């Protein structure tokens, strides 16, 4: 059935007004979404509701104006109730679009469904508004135009969803924002216009609602009213944006001020270092971090000796300058990740990681003491101070409070010892007797007072009984205590950081004796024991070289003995030190072989010239076939590697005979001679005369001097075997 249709026209001004409102509504929608994202929950909900009302009104007005743009030869009017009823769906459509864009993390399927619903909703607005025009007969809709309008609206809504998401993720940019609004708004406006153009009216149609809402002013009033509403909403978004930005600036300023105050409360004003609270906080962070960061962690408490008396003499200005200088020095010594803090007027705290044992911590403590002791130039005054250092370690001290408290106990012990030393924390340190403190104080002056002496124990060639060399052993002749056992003073030296000084004294004294004996026509190699602390001194090679040059001693006459367990504790470090000493020409010996965990591949790499079999194997030689088998294997291994073998702790003739049969190179022990003073050694050599065979070696043994009898009264617990330098493995 065919109809004759009225000729229709489109009003350009109405279409332009519809386009303007559509673009403005789309632009405002994007601004509202930004406000929703920028505000907290309550304000965000208000913006969703308010934005839906305004944007929905804009879309509703644009769709109605698209219909008003349709001009017919007859007068038409619009049923007011129907037009107003179409406003609510427009608001719902806008709310759905805003909600969808606010929840940008929606799944793709949900987003496509949302876009479809919004496009269909906009399409339905034209139908609802068109139903407000009561024609007889009713309007005729062109199906192809409706389909085309639907496709255009789908395109506009989909592009709007993608482009707005992209725009909202960036900083606001007016040109980009406006471009998106114009593009998306124009497409949606085009979809509505296409649908309106598809409306057909029969030639004989009569408008039953002509007396309803109509008139030439309808277009102007509606456009002006809605445009004012959109502008007001626009101003509201700008005002809110400024308010949020201002609040954010204020919030950031408050946070920055709070952070600054908090940092200031955790910082020392004079040095800029963390104070006690800041140090505790960082220490707790290190311990609580779920990793291996806290392993090998040590806390060192450094107290400037006599600082308060210094302040009373020089004044606060010089005192502050001194503290500032020392703070810079300490910061220059620690590594990245370590913490330096000033905990009190005269104290610093350091948290240092990567210190695997006490010896490494002792090296650092000595470096800190040396740095503090260097002269400081403050206000044209050269100032020299010393410090006392207490050291605690994790996890022996398991909490920040314990680490700090225990380092304080150790520091106080170091101060009671006279200052200028470092001390490791030990359980019960707060109850350390005055005798140990006094012993440490006396030991510090033992070198200057010539109370330390070397005793020497001969080593004989197994085949001929000739003197092959001597081993130097440290002794302390105290003016009131008498001969102090190394078992007593070596642990004290280790605890208070004196072991390095004693080890260096032994090297110097051994070289001095080598020079004296050489001048007498005696070339007797001297073996000294190298402590683990000396092994880790970075300047050990230089110290040894200077001692040899100072006393004009051939390097081959000095033998350095290193306990096997110490050498293998850090094999790479040991190899570096051994190589440096070997380049000097010093001979190296592996002591107490068999008690450690040597790898044959490492043993082959060590530039050692000698192995010393531990006394525990020698002791059982005459009663244990297993011990004989072990010694024989060691001798064969050493000879295969080009090393000589020394057996220590030889006490019986049977042991000596077995060792000779097993082709051991040198023997050392009470069977031949006990450790003796230099004077007694010279007498012993004189009484021996020409070297005699080993079988008669005991006949050549001289009666020990009175001092040696007193010193070695109990062989089972003899401390005469404590090595020179006080190696911890022998202490």
């Amino acid at each position: 059935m065919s109809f004759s249709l009225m000729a229709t026209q489109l009003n350009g001004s109405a279409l332009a007004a519809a386009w303007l409102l559509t673009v403005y509504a789309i632009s405002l929608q994007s601004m509202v979404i930004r406000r929703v994202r920028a505000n907290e929950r309550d304000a965000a909900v208000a913006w969703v509701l308010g934005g839906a009302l305004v944007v929905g009104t804009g879309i509703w007005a644009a769709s109605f104006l698209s219909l008003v743009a349709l001009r017919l030869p007859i007068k038409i009017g619009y049923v007011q109730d129907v037009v107003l009823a179409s406003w609510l769906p427009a608001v719902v459509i806008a709310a759905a679009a805003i909600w969808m864009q606010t929840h940008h993390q929606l799944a793709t399927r949900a987003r496509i469904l949302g876009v479809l619903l919004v496009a269909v909703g906009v399409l339905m607005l034209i139908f609802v508004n068109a139903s407000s025009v009561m024609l007889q007969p009713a309007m005729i809709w062109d199906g192809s135009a409706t389909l085309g309008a639907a496709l255009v609206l789908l395109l506009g809504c989909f592009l709007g969803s993608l482009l707005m998401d992209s725009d909202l993720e960036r900083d606001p940019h007016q040109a980009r924002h406006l471009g998106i609004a114009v593009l998306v708004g124009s497409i949606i406006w085009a979809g509505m216009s296409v649908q309106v153009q598809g409306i057909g009216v029969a030639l004989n149609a009569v408008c039953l609602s002509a007396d309803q809402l109509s008139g030439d002013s309808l277009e102007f009033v509606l456009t002006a009213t809605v445009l004012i509403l959109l502008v007001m909403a626009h101003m509201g978004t700008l005002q809110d944006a400024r308010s949020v930005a201002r609040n954010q600036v204020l919030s950031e300023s408050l946070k920055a001020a709070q952070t600054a105050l908090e940092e200031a409360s955790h910082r020392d004003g004079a040095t800029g270092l963390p104070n006690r609270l800041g140090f505790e906080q960082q220490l707790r962070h290190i311990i609580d971090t779920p990793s291996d960061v806290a392993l090998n962690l040590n806390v060192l408490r450094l107290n400037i000796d006599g600082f308060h008396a210094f302040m009373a003499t020089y004044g606060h200005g010089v005192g502050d300058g001194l503290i500032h200088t020392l703070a810079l020095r300490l910061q220059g010594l620690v590594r990245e990740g370590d913490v330096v803090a000033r905990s009190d007027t005269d104290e610093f705290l350091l948290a240092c990681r990567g210190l695997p044992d006490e010896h490494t911590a002792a090296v650092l403590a000595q470096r800190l003491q040396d740095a503090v002791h260097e002269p400081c130039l403050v206000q044209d005054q050269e100032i020299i101070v010393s410090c006392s250092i207490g050291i605690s370690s994790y996890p022996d001290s398991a909490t920040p409070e314990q680490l700090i408290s225990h380092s304080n106990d150790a520091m106080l012990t170091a101060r009671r010892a006279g200052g200028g030393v470092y001390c490791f924390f030990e359980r019960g340190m707060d109850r350390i007797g005055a005798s140990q403190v006094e012993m440490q104080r006396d030991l510090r002056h033992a070198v200057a007072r010539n109370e330390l002496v070397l005793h020497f124990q001969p080593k004989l060639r197994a085949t001929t009984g000739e003197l092959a060399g001597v081993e130097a052993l440290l002794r302390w002749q105290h003016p009131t205590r008498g001969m102090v056992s190394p078992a007593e003073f070596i642990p004290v030296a280790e605890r208070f950081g004196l072991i390095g000084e004693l080890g260096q004294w032994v090297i110097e004294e051994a070289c001095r004796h080598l020079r004296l004996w050489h001048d007498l026509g005696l070339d007797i190699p001297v073996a000294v024991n190298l402590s683990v602390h000396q092994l880790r001194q970075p300047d050990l090679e230089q110290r040894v070289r200077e001692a040899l040059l100072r006393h004009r001693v051939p390097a081959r006459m000095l033998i350095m003995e290193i306990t096997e367990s110490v050498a293998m504790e850090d094999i790479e470090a040991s190899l570096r030190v051994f190589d440096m000493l070997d380049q000097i020409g010093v001979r190296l010996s592996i002591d107490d072989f068999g008690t450690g965990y040597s790898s044959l591949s490492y043993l082959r790499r060590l530039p050692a010239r000698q192995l010393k079999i531990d006394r525990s194997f020698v002791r059982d030689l005459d009663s244990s076939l297993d011990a004989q088998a072990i010694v024989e294997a060691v001798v064969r291994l050493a000879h295969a590697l080009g090393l000589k073998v020394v057996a220590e702790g030889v006490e019986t003739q049977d042991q000596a005979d077995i060792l000779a049969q097993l082709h051991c190179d040198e023997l050392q022990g009470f069977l031949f001679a006990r450790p003796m003073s230099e004077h007694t050694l010279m007498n012993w050599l004189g009484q021996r005369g020409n070297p005699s065979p080993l079988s008669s070696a005991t006949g050549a043994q001289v009666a020990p001097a009175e001092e040696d009898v007193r010193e070695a009264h109990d062989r089972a617990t003899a401390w005469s075997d404590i090595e020179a330098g006080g190696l911890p493995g022998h202490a």
Side-chain angles (χ1 to χ4, degrees), residues 108-127:
T108 303
R109 182 178 300 177
R111 182 175 293 276
I112 293 175
L113 180 60
V115 168
L116 181 61
L117 291 176
V118 171
V120 171
V122 174
L123 187 66
M124 292 304 296
L125 280 179
I126 301 296
F127 285 105

Side-chain angles (χ1 to χ4, degrees), residues 223-257:
T223 302
T225 302
V226 174
L227 191 59
I228 290 172
L229 178 65
L230 294 177
V231 170
M232 291 177 62
H234 188 177
M235 294 298 102
T237 60
L238 296 178
Q239 183 63 31
D240 184 74
R242 285 193 291 267
S243 177
V244 170
R246 185 167 56 252
N247 290 338
Q248 185 175 1
V249 170
L250 290 175
S251 177
E252 290 176 355
S253 299
L254 288 174
K255 288 181 179 179

Side-chain angles (χ1 to χ4, degrees), residues 11 19 56 85 94 99 120 177 233 339 383 421 461 539 559 578 618 647 719:
N11 185 344
W19 176 84
W99 180 87
V120 171
H177 170 79
V339 183
I383 301 167
V421 296
R461 293 188 176 88
D539 59 346
I559 302 173
F578 286 8
V618 175
W719 41 262

Side-chain angles (χ1 to χ4, degrees), residues 268-284:
D268 173 62
T271 62
L273 296 175
N275 57 17
R276 167 68 179 268
L277 290 176
F279 182 81
E280 236 181 89
Q281 184 183 59
Q282 296 190 46
L283 191 60
R284 191 178 305 280

Side-chain angles (χ1 to χ4, degrees), residues 270-271 302 304-311 314-330 342 345-346 348 371-379 381-386:
T271 62
L302 188 151
I304 309 301
D305 296 327
F307 183 76
H308 291 290
F310 170 86
M311 290 273 284
Y314 291 96
H316 289 277
V318 177
D320 290 342
L322 173 63
I323 289 296
H324 184 72
T325 301
L326 295 179
L328 293 176
R329 287 184 185 176
L330 296 179
R342 186 188 183 193
T345 305
D346 56 348
F348 293 93
V372 170
H373 193 60
E374 290 181 7
C376 299
L377 187 63
V378 181
Q379 296 184 7
Q381 298 189 59
E382 187 175 84
I383 301 167
I384 299 177
V385 294
S386 63

Side-chain angles (χ1 to χ4, degrees), residues 5 8 10 66-67 70 126-127 130 139-149 190-201:
L5 302 178
T8 59
L10 293 177
S66 298
L67 183 64
L70 185 66
I126 301 296
F127 285 105
M139 291 180 179
I140 300 169
W141 295 91
D142 186 348
S144 59
T146 301
L147 178 60
M192 292 188 295
S193 299
V194 169
Q195 187 181 12
V196 169
Q197 288 177 5
I199 297 175
V201 179

Side-chain angles (χ1 to χ4, degrees), residues 21 60-62 64-65 68 217-227:
L21 294 181
W60 165 79
F64 184 66
L65 284 172
V68 172
S217 62
L218 178 61
E219 173 190 331
F220 174 76
V221 172
L222 181 61
T223 302
T225 302
V226 174
L227 191 59

Side-chain angles (χ1 to χ4, degrees), residues 78 248 581 619 660:
Y78 306 91
Q248 185 175 1
L581 294 176
R619 182 174 58 244

